[in-house]
C-alpha cells in the first residue's frame, strides 16, 4: 500500500484559458461541458458577476437556475460575494421554484403533493380509478407506483392524458404497434385485445388522476413544470414579460435537465438565445427523477449555433484517480449522438491541475495509486476498511471528516456502522431512515398502543420500556396460557394480571384520556405520548419525527382531514407503504467519517474515499423493469431518441460509479468480493474491466483484505447498546417448543427463525393479512361444497357463491374496496373451478379439511389436508388449494407441505397417494407431482433438523424481502438501524 502524505491545500481560483472563454462569453447560446472538479459552478457565478459588472445585463435581467435548494442558495451567496452590491433583483432558483413562482404570480398556484403524498391521495381514492387489470386484491396499492412512474415520464415528455388517449385511439385503429403493458416475460401471454384493454385502463386512470387533482387544486413537482410550460405557451404577453427578466439564462447541473425543462428554456430564450448551460454528462445520475441522459443532445437540437467549451482541468483529484475514472466512464457511449451532431466533443481524461502544479514547481507528486481490496468473504470488508481508516488518520493526523465511505444501497452500510462503533471511530450517516431506529420504534409503538389496545406488537414494545418493571418470562407464560381464539386482545389482558403490567395499562389510559379531554391533533398527541412515556425528544430520530409530524399538519386538506391521532397513524402506515422515508437530520460534525450513497455525495469531495460492495448486483445495482413502457411514438419530434431502459440503466449505474470515484481528492480505495468463476476470479461488474485494463498498471494496485480478527477477550455489548425489546427476544425459549410442528411451521423457521419464535414461543398475534382471510374463506367454502359431493347432495353454484359472500363478510377484511375485490375474485374463481369439476366425473371424496397427527422422531407433526379423493385403482389423490400466487411445477416438486401430506396419508390411513396436487384457484390450473421413498425420508430429516435447532435455541433473524410483510418488523433487531454517537 502506498504511503500517503499530506497534500498542500488548493490555491485561490485562477481561471485557465477555457474557463476564461466561458466566463467572458456574452451573447448567444453556449454549452459548457465541465468534467468533475473543473470549477463549473465557479465559472457560472463569475460569469453572472461579469455580466452585471460590465453592464451587459442588469441584475433583474439574469435568471440562474439549478436543481437543488442548497445549490441555489450557495450560488446566490457566491454571486453576492463576487459583486459586493445589491443582488436582490437577481433571480437564482431551482427550476421547480422558478416555475412555481411563475404560477403563483399569475394566480395559478396549487397545493403541492410530493411523491408519497400523491400515492396516499390516490390510495384513499383508488376505487375511483376503476382498475381491473392493474389491481390486486392482495396488495391494492401495488400498481400505484407503476402508474405514477408512467405519469411522471409523461410529464417529462409533455404528454398529457388527452394526448395519451389519442395514442390509444391510434392503437385501436391499428396504426401503431402495441406497447408493453406488463413485464417482458409475460408479454407473449397477452392477446392484442387485452393489451388494448390495458392501454384503455391506463388512459382512464391517467385522466381520472388529473381530474381529481384539478378538482382539488393540487399538483406535483412535475406539474410545476408542465403547467408553467402551458402558461408560457398560451400567453404571449406573459412570455414577453418573463423574457425581459431572463435576457441572460444560466443553468447549472444541466445534465439533470429533461425535455420539458429544455422546452421552457427555449421559450424564455426567445430570439436572443442567451442560454448558458453548464454540466457534466458523465454525472447524469437522476434519471429516476426524470433527468434526461440526452440533455446535451437536446441543447444542440434546440439551440443551433451554440458554442461549445470543454473544461478539462480537474482541480480536485490526483492523476491516478482521474485515469482510472476515465477508463471506467469511457465504456459509456459518446456524449453527443453521432447522427446530426453539430458540436464536436470527444471524451478524454481530465488533467490533474494539482499534479501539473507539482511538476512545474519541481515538487514530487504525492499521488497514490487507486487501491482495490479483494475479499474472499464480504464479512472481511468492514474490519479491513475501518482498520485502514484508523491507520491513515493516525498517519496523516487529520480530522475524521476527511474520510467518506460510499455505497449503492443503505443496507450495505449496516455491518460497517457496527465495526466503526466497535473500533471507536466517530461517524455520521447521511439520509438514514429513522423509522427503524429503536427510538422511533418506541415512539410509534406508544402512539399505536394509545390509539388501540389490540396492537399486541406495540404493547409488547411499550411494556419493554425501561421505566416499567415487567418480567418478560412471566409475560410470555401469560401469552402462552391464552386460548388461541383469545390472543388478539390477549396482550392487554395478560398485562393486567402480571406484576408491573398495571402500570403499563394505566400510563396508556392516562395518555388516551388526556388526548380525548383536550381534543387535540396528532402533533400535540405525540408530545403527550413522549412526555408520559419519558421518551427522549432530543434524540435525532425523535427530532426528525417531530419535524415530520409538524410538516404533516401543514399539508393540504385532502391529505389531512381531521388531523387526529388515528389519522396520523394511518398516514404513517401509508407513507411507509408508498416508500416514504423520514431522514435523520444532516450531521454538522466535521470530525466524523461520512457514510452516504453516491447520490448524496454528488457535489461533495473528500480527501479519502472508500467505495464498498463494488460487485454486481450490489454496485452496479440490478435493473428493475417498469411495468408499463413509455411508447416511443409519444416522444416529441424535437426529443432525442433513447435506447432501451435496461441499456440506459447500465449507463446510469456506470455514471454513478464515476461520481463515486471522482469524489476523492487524495486517495480512492475500492472494496469488492472476488468472483466465483474459476477461470476469472475478478469481481463481476465495473471492477472487472478496470482490473483487466493494461493501461492502468501504474495507476492501480490491488491487495487482499486483512484477515478478520476476533478479539478473544472482547467485551460483551453493554445493556444500553441494544434495546430492552431485543434483550427480551433473546431469552431462551420455553422447553419443548420443537416437539410439535407442522409443515408450515418448519417452512416458517427456515424463512426466519426469529419470526417462528415470536409466533410460537411468545404467541404475539399479528394482523392477519386480507389474503389469508380470503384464503381461509375459500377453503371453508370448498370444504362445504365437497362435503355436499361426499354426501351426494351437490350444492348449486349460486349457493356456493352465496356461502362465500356470507363467510367473507365475517372474515374481518377492514377495507371495503379490498373486500369487494376479493368477493369479485373469489366468485370468478369458484365458478371457473366448479365448471371444470363438472366437465368430468365427480370425485369420490374421502376427506375434507382432515386433521392429522404423526410422529417423526421425537417430534409430533400436525396438519390439515384440504381434500383426499379415492381413485378407481384404490390409490388416493391429495389436493391442496392455493388462493394466492399460482404454484408452478418446481414449487410442487419441492413442497415440504405435500411431502408431509403424503407421509400422513400413509401413516394415519394407510393410503398410497398416486398424485399430489396443487390446485391454483387464481388460474384454475392443477400442478401434479409425486413422491419417492427417498423424498419422504428427506422430509423426515428436515423436520428433525429444524426440531433440533429449535431445541438448541437457535433463533437468529434472517433479513430478506419477506421483512417487508412481517408483522413483527417493529420488534426485529435485524432490521433495526442504530444511531451512533461519539460516546457509543
Amino acid at each position: 500500500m502506498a504511503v500517503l502524505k499530506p497534500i498542500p491545500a488548493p490555491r485561490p481560483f485562477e481561471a485557465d484559458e477555457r474557463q476564461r472563454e466561458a466566463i467572458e462569453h456574452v451573447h448567444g447560446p453556449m454549452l459548457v461541458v465541465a468534467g468533475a472538479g473543473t470549477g463549473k459552478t465557479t465559472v457560472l457565478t463569475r460569469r453572472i458577476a461579469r455580466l452585471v459588472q460590465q453592464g451587459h445585463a442588469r441584475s433583474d435581467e439574469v435568471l440562474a437556475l439549478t436543481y437543488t435548494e442548497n445549490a441555489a442558495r450557495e450560488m446566490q451567496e457566491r454571486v453576492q460575494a463576487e459583486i459586493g452590491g445589491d443582488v436582490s433583483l437577481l433571480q437564482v432558483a431551482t427550476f421547480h421554484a422558478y416555475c412555481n413562482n411563475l404560477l403563483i404570480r399569475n394566480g395559478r398556484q396549487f397545493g403541492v403533493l410530493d411523491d408519497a403524498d400523491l400515492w396516499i391521495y390516490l390510495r384513499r381514492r383508488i376505487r375511483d380509478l376503476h382498475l381491473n387489470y392493474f389491481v390486486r386484491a392482495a396488495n391494492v396499492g401495488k400498481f400505484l407506483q407503476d402508474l405514477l412512474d408512467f405519469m411522471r415520464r409523461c410529464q417529462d415528455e409533455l404528454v398529457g392524458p388527452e394526448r395519451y388517449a389519442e395514442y390509444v385511439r391510434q392503437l385501436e385503429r391499428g396504426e401503431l404497434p402495441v406497447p408493453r403493458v406488463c413485464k417482458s416475460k409475460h408479454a407473449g401471454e397477452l392477446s392484442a385485445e387485452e393489451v388494448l384493454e390495458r392501454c384503455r385502463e391506463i388512459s382512464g386512470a391517467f385522466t381520472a388522476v388529473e381530474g381529481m387533482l384539478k378538482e382539488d387544486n393540487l399538483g406535483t413537482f412535475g406539474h410545476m413544470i408542465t403547467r408553467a410550460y402551458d402558461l408560457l405557451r398560451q400567453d404571449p404577453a406573459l412570455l414577453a414579460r418573463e423574457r425581459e427578466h431572463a435576457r441572460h439564462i444560466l443553468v447549472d447541473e444541466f445534465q439533470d435537465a429533461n425535455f420539458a425543462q429544455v422546452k421552457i428554456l427555449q421559450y424564455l430564450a426567445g430570439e436572443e438565445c442567451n442560454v448558458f448551460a453548464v454540466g457534466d454528462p458523465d454525472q447524469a445520475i437522476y434519471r429516476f427523477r426524470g433527468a434526461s441522459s440526452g440533455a446535451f443532445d437536446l441543447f444542440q437540437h434546440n439551440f443551433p449555433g451554440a458554442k461549445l467549451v470543454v473544461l478539462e482541468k480537474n482541480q480536485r483529484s490526483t492523476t491516478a484517480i482521474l485515469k482510472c475514472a476515465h477508463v471506467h466512464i469511457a465504456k459509456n457511449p459518446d456524449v453527443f449522438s453521432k447522427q446530426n451532431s453539430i458540436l464536436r466533443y470527444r471524451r478524454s481524461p481530465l488533467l490533474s491541475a494539482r499534479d501539473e502544479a507539482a511538476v512545474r514547481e519541481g515538487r514530487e507528486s504525492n499521488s497514490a495509486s487507486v487501491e482495490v481490496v479483494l475479499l474472499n468473504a464480504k464479512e472481511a470488508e468492514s474490519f479491513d476498511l475501518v482498520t485502514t481508516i484508523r491507520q491513515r488518520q493516525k498517519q496523516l493526523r487529520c480530522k475524521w471528516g476527511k474520510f467518506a465511505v460510499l455505497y449503492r444501497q443503505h443496507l450495505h452500510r449496516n455491518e460497517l456502522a457496527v465495526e466503526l462503533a466497535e473500533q471507536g471511530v466517530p461517524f455520521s450517516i447521511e439520509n438514514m431512515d429513522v423509522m427503524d431506529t429503536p427510538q422511533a420504534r418506541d415512539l410509534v409503538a406508544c402512539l399505536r398502543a394509545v390509539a388501540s389496545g389490540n396492537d399486541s406488537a406495540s404493547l409488547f414494545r411499550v411494556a419493554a420500556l425501561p421505566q416499567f418493571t415487567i418480567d418478560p418470562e412471566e409475560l410470555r407464560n401469560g401469552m402462552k396460557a391464552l386460548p388461541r381464539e383469545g390472543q388478539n386482545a390477549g396482550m392487554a389482558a395478560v398485562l393486567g394480571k402480571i406484576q408491573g403490567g398495571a402500570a403499563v395499562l394505566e400510563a396508556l389510559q392516562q395518555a388516551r384520556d388526556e388526548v380525548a379531554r383536550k381534543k387535540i391533533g396528532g402533533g400535540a398527541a405525540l408530545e403527550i405520548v413522549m412526555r408520559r412515556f419519558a421518551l427522549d425528544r432530543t434524540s435525532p430520530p425523535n427530532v426528525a419525527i417531530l419535524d415530520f409530524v409538524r410538516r404533516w399538519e401543514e399539508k393540504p386538506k385532502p391529505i389531512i382531514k381531521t388531523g387526529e391521532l388515528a389519522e396520523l397513524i394511518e398516514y404513517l402506515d401509508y407513507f411507509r407503504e408508498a416508500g416514504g422515508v423520514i431522514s435523520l437530520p444532516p450531521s454538522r460534525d466535521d470530525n466524523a467519517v461520512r457514510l452516504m450513497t453516491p447520490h448524496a455525495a454528488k457535489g461533495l469531495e473528500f480527501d479519502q474515499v472508500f467505495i464498498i460492495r463494488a460487485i454486481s448486483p450490489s454496485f452496479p445495482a440490478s435493473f428493475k423493469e417498469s411495468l408499463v413502457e413509455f411508447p416511443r411514438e409519444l416522444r416529441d419530434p424535437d426529443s432525442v431518441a433513447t435506447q432501451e431502459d435496461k441499456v440506459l440503466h447500465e449507463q446510469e449505474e456506470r455514471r454513478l460509479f464515476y461520481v463515486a470515484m471522482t469524489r476523492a481528492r487524495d486517495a480512492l480505495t475500492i472494496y469488492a468480493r472476488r468472483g466465483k468463476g474459476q477461470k476469472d476470479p475478478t469481481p463481476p461488474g465495473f471492477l472487472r474491466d478496470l482490473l483487466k485494463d493494461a493501461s492502468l498498471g501504474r495507476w492501480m494496485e490491488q491487495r487482499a483484505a486483512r484477515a478478520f480478527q476476533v478479539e478473544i477477550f472482547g467485551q460483551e455489548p453493554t445493556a444500553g447498546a441494544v434495546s430492552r425489546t431485543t434483550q427480551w427476544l433473546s431469552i431462551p425459549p420455553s422447553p419443548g417448543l420443537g416437539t410439535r410442528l407442522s409443515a408450515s411451521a418448519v417452512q416458517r423457521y427456515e424463512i426466519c427463525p426469529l419470526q417462528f419464535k415470536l409466533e410460537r414461543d411468545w404467541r404475539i398475534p399479528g394482523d392477519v393479512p386480507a389474503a389469508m382471510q380470503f384464503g381461509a374463506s375459500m377453503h371453508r367454502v370448498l370444504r362445504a361444497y365437497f362435503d355436499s359431493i361426499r354426501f351426494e347432495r351437490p350444492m348449486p353454484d349460486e349457493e356456493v357463491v352465496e356461502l362465500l359472500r356470507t363467510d367473507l363478510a365475517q372474515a374481518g377484511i377492514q377495507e371495503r374496496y379490498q373486500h369487494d375485490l376479493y368477493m369479485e375474485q373469489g366468485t370468478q374463481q369458484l365458478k371457473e373451478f366448479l365448471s371444470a369439476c363438472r366437465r368430468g366425473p365427480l370425485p369420490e371424496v374421502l376427506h375434507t379439511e382432515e386433521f392429522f397427527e404423526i410422529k417423526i422422531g421425537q417430534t409430533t407433526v400436525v396438519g390439515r389436508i384440504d381434500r383426499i379423493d379415492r381413485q378407481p385403482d384404490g390409490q388416493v389423490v391429495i389436493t391442496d388449494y392455493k388462493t394466492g400466487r399460482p404454484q408452478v411445477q418446481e414449487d410442487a416438486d419441492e413442497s415440504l407441505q405435500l411431502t408431509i401430506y403424503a407421509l400422513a396419508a400413509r401413516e394415519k390411513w394407510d393410503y398410497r397417494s398416486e398424485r399430489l396436487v396443487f390446485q391454483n384457484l387464481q388460474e384454475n390450473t392443477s400442478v401434479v407431482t409425486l413422491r419417492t421413498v427417498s423424498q419422504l425420508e428427506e422430509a423426515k430429516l428436515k423436520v428433525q433438523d429444524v426440531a433440533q435447532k429449535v431445541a438448541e435455541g437457535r433463533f437468529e433473524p434472517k433479513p430478506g424481502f419477506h421483512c417487508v410483510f412481517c408483522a413483527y418488523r417493529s420488534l426485529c433487531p435485524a432490521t433495526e438501524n442504530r444511531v451512533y454517537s461519539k460516546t457509543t
Side-chain angles (χ1 to χ4, degrees):
M1 183 173 64
V3 177
L4 298 174
K5 300 178 182 178
I7 296 179
R11 299 178 177 186
F13 177 81
E14 294 180 8
D16 60 31
E17 182 181 352
R18 300 282 180 83
Q19 291 171 327
R20 278 196 303 273
E21 182 182 354
I23 292 171
E24 295 172 3
H25 174 75
V26 179
H27 296 294
M30 173 173 276
L31 182 60
V32 180
V33 176
T38 55
K40 61 181 178 60
T41 304
T42 300
V43 165
L44 189 144
T45 54
R46 293 216 168 185
R47 181 169 184 267
I48 295 174
R50 190 174 185 277
L51 286 173
V52 175
Q53 289 171 333
Q54 297 197 359
H56 298 295
R58 301 191 309 270
S59 60
D60 65 339
E61 294 177 323
V62 176
L63 171 62
L65 300 171
T66 187
Y67 286 87
T68 68
E69 292 181 0
N70 286 339
R73 187 163 46 250
E74 180 187 352
M75 191 186 301
Q76 181 92 30
E77 292 170 353
R78 290 172 71 166
V79 172
Q80 172 77 53
E82 289 282 345
I83 295 177
D86 181 20
V87 293
S88 59
L89 297 178
L90 179 71
Q91 291 188 86
V92 179
T94 66
F95 221 114
H96 289 88
Y98 167 76
C99 290
N100 195 42
N101 288 334
L102 174 66
L103 294 170
I104 292 171
R105 292 198 307 270
N106 290 275
R108 303 290 183 89
Q109 64 265 37
F110 56 85
V112 181
L113 304 182
D114 60 25
D115 290 345
D117 281 340
L118 179 58
W119 189 98
I120 294 168
Y121 174 80
L122 295 179
R123 177 62 181 83
R124 288 169 171 165
R125 303 179 62 173
I126 193 166
R127 188 189 288 271
D128 298 334
L129 299 183
H130 304 294
L131 300 174
N132 180 29
Y133 294 98
F134 292 112
V135 69
R136 290 178 52 213
N139 190 347
V140 175
K142 182 175 175 58
F143 171 63
L144 286 179
Q145 208 63 265
D146 296 294
L147 173 65
L148 296 181
D149 286 344
F150 177 76
M151 289 177 58
R152 278 190 289 268
R153 183 68 188 276
C154 287
Q155 288 177 335
D156 297 338
E157 296 284 342
L158 295 173
V159 173
E162 299 84 2
R163 188 173 170 197
Y164 185 77
E166 174 55 33
Y167 164 76
V168 175
R169 287 191 286 272
Q170 289 179 280
L171 291 177
E172 292 170 337
R173 295 192 296 265
E175 298 172 1
L176 298 173
V178 295
R180 176 180 60 77
V181 286
C182 64
K183 295 293 186 182
S184 294
K185 62 182 179 182
H186 299 306
E189 303 170 8
L190 302 185
S191 65
E193 181 54 36
E194 183 173 340
V195 172
L196 282 175
E197 285 294 331
R198 289 182 176 224
C199 289
R200 294 184 190 108
E201 188 167 305
I202 293 168
S203 179
F206 193 180
T207 302
V209 171
E210 291 294 338
M212 291 177 197
L213 294 174
K214 186 175 182 180
E215 182 180 350
D216 289 332
N217 194 32
L218 297 172
T220 65
F221 289 99
H223 285 107
M224 293 179 184
I225 306 295
T226 58
R227 294 179 187 178
Y229 170 80
D230 289 339
L231 192 60
L232 293 171
R233 183 168 57 89
Q234 296 166 4
D235 190 337
L238 169 65
L239 178 59
R241 291 196 300 273
E242 287 301 310
R243 283 175 175 172
E244 290 177 4
H245 298 288
R247 285 192 54 239
H248 289 272
I249 305 171
L250 302 96
V251 186
D252 198 6
E253 304 289 1
F254 183 70
Q255 73 276 355
D256 296 333
N258 61 34
F259 172 75
Q261 292 163 346
V262 173
K263 297 303 288 185
I264 288 179
L265 291 177
Q266 187 181 30
Y267 268 114
L268 290 173
E271 294 182 0
E272 288 188 85
C273 278
N274 293 327
V275 180
F276 183 86
V278 185
D280 182 1
D282 290 332
Q283 295 189 69
I285 59 173
Y286 292 112
R287 184 167 170 265
F288 67 94
R289 294 181 184 170
S292 168
S293 56
F296 288 73
D297 266 337
L298 282 171
F299 190 92
Q300 73 162 350
H301 182 81
N302 287 280
F303 302 103
K307 292 183 179 180
L308 175 69
V309 173
V310 180
L311 306 184
E312 52 191 16
K313 281 199 176 182
N314 177 285
Q315 308 294 324
R316 175 188 302 154
S317 306
T318 64
T319 300
I321 293 169
L322 297 176
K323 290 282 188 183
C324 293
H326 172 72
V327 167
H328 166 74
I329 198 63
K331 301 289 183 183
N332 267 1
D334 292 335
V335 171
F336 296 103
S337 59
K338 294 180 180 178
Q339 184 179 7
N340 301 323
S341 180
I342 301 169
L343 302 177
R344 299 298 175 190
Y345 168 74
R346 184 178 180 183
R347 185 188 287 115
S348 59
L350 296 174
L351 305 175
S352 172
R354 291 167 47 187
D355 286 350
E356 283 187 351
V359 172
R360 284 196 309 270
E361 297 168 8
R363 290 186 287 105
E364 180 184 354
S365 172
N366 292 325
S367 179
S369 300
V370 171
E371 184 178 56
V372 175
V373 182
L374 299 176
L375 317 163
N376 291 321
K378 68 177 183 180
E379 290 75 17
E381 180 179 68
S382 297
F383 174 78
D384 185 280
L385 191 153
V386 178
T387 302
T388 301
I389 288 178
R390 290 182 64 188
Q391 289 179 349
R392 292 185 184 179
Q393 191 272 342
K394 184 177 181 180
Q395 174 188 346
L396 298 172
R397 298 180 182 179
C398 62
K399 289 188 174 183
W400 294 108
K402 299 294 184 181
F403 300 87
V405 183
L406 307 183
Y407 39 80
R408 182 64 179 88
Q409 299 175 47
H410 289 290
L411 60 88
H412 295 161
R413 62 149 193 266
N414 293 346
E415 294 174 10
L416 176 63
V418 172
E419 187 68 33
L420 285 164
E422 289 183 353
Q423 292 202 36
V425 177
F427 65 96
S428 65
I429 299 173
E430 303 294 320
N431 296 327
M432 185 177 84
D433 186 2
V434 305
M435 289 303 286
D436 279 324
T437 61
Q439 296 93 330
R441 285 180 170 182
D442 286 344
L443 175 55
V444 174
C446 290
L447 285 174
R448 290 184 181 280
V450 167
S452 170
N454 295 333
D455 188 333
S456 294
S458 294
L459 275 174
F460 180 89
R461 193 161 190 107
V462 173
L465 290 173
Q467 63 264 41
F468 300 118
T469 58
I470 305 292
D471 180 347
E473 295 201 40
E474 189 179 357
L475 176 61
R476 182 179 63 181
N477 292 337
M479 289 300 296
K480 294 188 74 169
L482 287 174
R484 282 284 185 183
E485 60 273 13
Q487 283 186 340
N488 282 336
M491 179 71 76
V494 172
L495 284 172
K497 297 176 183 177
I498 64 175
Q499 185 174 358
V504 178
L505 299 178
E506 183 180 358
L508 289 168
Q509 191 58 51
Q510 288 176 349
R512 286 189 201 107
D513 293 342
E514 185 174 356
V515 169
R517 184 174 64 254
K518 294 182 177 179
K519 298 180 180 180
I520 53 180
L526 184 68
E527 295 280 1
I528 288 172
V529 165
M530 296 186 79
R531 171 170 48 82
R532 286 199 172 272
F533 292 93
L535 303 178
D536 182 6
R537 71 184 323 279
T538 65
S539 72
N542 287 346
V543 169
I545 292 176
L546 285 166
D547 182 61
F548 175 84
V549 173
R550 178 187 56 78
R551 287 183 280 112
W552 169 74
E553 292 183 313
E554 298 171 353
K555 290 185 181 293
K557 191 66 175 177
I559 296 299
I560 177 172
K561 298 176 182 177
T562 67
E564 295 175 353
L565 177 58
E567 187 181 18
L568 172 60
I569 291 172
E570 179 205 53
Y571 181 87
L572 287 171
D573 289 339
Y574 276 148
F575 181 78
R576 187 144 202 171
E577 191 178 346
V581 170
I582 303 176
S583 295
L584 197 70
S587 172
R588 291 180 171 83
D589 188 354
D590 66 348
N591 195 22
V593 177
R594 304 279 292 279
L595 275 55
M596 64 182 74
T597 65
H599 285 108
K602 176 75 169 62
L604 304 179
E605 60 182 61
F606 303 92
D607 288 358
Q608 308 266 328
V609 169
F610 300 81
I611 303 173
I612 62 174
R613 305 286 173 94
I615 181 172
S616 180
S618 295
F619 198 176
S622 301
F623 170 67
K624 295 178 181 177
E625 185 183 55
S626 63
L627 183 65
V628 179
E629 71 173 340
F630 183 82
R632 292 176 179 273
E633 294 81 5
L634 282 178
R635 294 195 183 100
D636 190 281
D638 289 345
S639 182
V640 294
T642 59
Q643 295 164 293
E644 295 297 324
D645 282 350
K646 186 173 183 180
V647 174
L648 293 175
H649 167 80
E650 292 169 355
Q651 293 171 4
E652 177 141 328
E653 286 294 303
R654 187 173 292 279
R655 292 193 294 270
L656 195 59
F657 199 82
Y658 175 79
V659 167
M661 295 176 77
T662 54
R663 298 310 92 198
R665 283 179 42 79
D666 304 339
L668 173 64
T669 306
I670 306 173
Y671 283 81
R673 182 171 45 80
R674 297 181 191 273
K676 296 180 180 179
Q678 292 184 347
K679 292 184 179 180
D680 188 357
T682 56
F686 298 141
L687 268 185
R688 179 164 287 173
D689 291 335
L690 290 175
L691 292 172
K692 290 183 176 182
D693 195 300
S695 69
L696 296 179
R698 60 175 293 203
W699 306 114
M700 177 177 281
E701 63 183 28
Q702 56 181 294
R703 67 172 174 85
R706 300 173 180 86
F708 179 71
Q709 298 177 15
V710 179
E711 294 187 24
I712 299 176
F713 301 104
Q715 295 180 349
E716 289 293 321
T718 61
V722 294
S723 65
R724 276 188 88 201
T725 300
T726 298
Q727 294 174 43
W728 281 17
L729 298 184
S730 65
I731 65 175
S734 306
L737 185 60
T739 58
R740 191 176 177 86
L741 297 172
S742 64
S744 59
V746 172
Q747 291 169 330
R748 183 59 51 87
Y749 181 90
E750 291 183 318
I751 293 171
C752 179
L754 181 60
Q755 189 180 46
F756 172 95
K757 183 179 184 181
L758 286 165
E759 281 186 355
R760 297 180 62 86
D761 190 32
W762 281 92
R763 300 279 180 89
I764 300 175
D767 291 334
V768 180
M772 291 184 64
Q773 295 173 333
F774 168 71
S777 286
M778 290 288 283
H779 277 72
R780 286 190 288 267
V781 169
L782 288 172
R783 175 185 179 178
Y785 173 75
F786 282 103
D787 277 344
S788 74
I789 297 293
R790 185 151 58 106
F791 298 126
E792 299 181 353
R793 294 192 299 273
M795 295 170 61
D797 288 6
E798 296 75 13
E799 191 175 336
V800 176
V801 171
E802 188 57 36
L803 185 60
L804 173 65
R805 188 183 311 280
T806 303
D807 194 288
L808 206 57
Q810 300 171 353
I813 298 176
Q814 294 186 356
E815 186 181 358
R816 186 67 199 179
Y817 179 60
Q818 190 173 32
H819 168 275
D820 293 347
L821 286 174
Y822 270 127
M823 186 62 212
E824 181 181 344
Q825 175 180 311
T827 300
Q828 181 181 352
Q829 291 177 5
L830 285 174
K831 287 182 176 180
E832 291 177 357
F833 176 61
L834 296 179
S835 175
C837 287
R838 283 194 295 270
R839 286 196 289 268
L842 291 177
E844 183 184 349
V845 181
L846 296 176
H847 307 277
T848 57
E849 294 282 332
E850 189 70 52
F851 178 82
F852 67 82
E853 187 174 296
I854 61 175
K855 275 291 213 182
I856 295 181
Q858 301 301 310
T859 302
T860 300
V861 178
V862 299
R864 196 184 306 273
I865 300 175
D866 289 345
R867 198 174 96 229
I868 303 177
D869 302 337
R870 191 196 307 276
Q871 295 292 93
D873 61 2
Q875 296 197 59
V876 299
V877 175
I878 297 176
T879 299
D880 188 70
Y881 307 124
K882 293 298 179 186
T883 57
R885 177 184 64 85
Q887 304 291 286
V888 297
Q889 191 64 52
E890 184 181 1
D891 297 322
D893 292 342
E894 297 180 359
S895 170
L896 176 66
Q897 183 183 35
L898 290 181
T899 310
I900 295 294
Y901 288 176
L903 275 170
R906 186 180 67 178
E907 297 191 14
K908 181 173 181 178
W909 297 288
D910 198 28
Y911 291 153
R912 294 295 179 267
S913 52
E914 178 192 48
R915 290 181 298 162
L916 304 168
V917 180
F918 273 148
Q919 180 64 45
N920 294 316
L921 296 173
Q922 185 172 314
E923 295 180 342
N924 195 25
T925 58
S926 300
V927 184
V928 181
T929 187
L930 303 172
R931 290 295 183 269
T932 64
V933 173
S934 63
Q935 287 175 311
L936 298 178
E937 294 304 315
E938 286 176 12
K940 291 181 179 180
L941 292 175
K942 179 175 283 190
V943 170
Q944 290 174 314
D945 178 58
V946 168
Q948 179 65 30
K949 290 175 179 176
V950 171
E952 293 170 355
R954 295 168 60 179
F955 296 107
E956 64 283 353
K958 283 186 183 177
F961 179 73
H962 53 271
C963 294
V964 176
F965 310 101
C966 181
Y968 309 115
R969 181 185 175 90
S970 65
L971 305 178
C972 178
T975 58
E976 190 171 271
N977 290 329
R978 290 181 58 201
V979 178
Y980 298 88
S981 67
K982 290 185 178 181
T983 58
T984 300

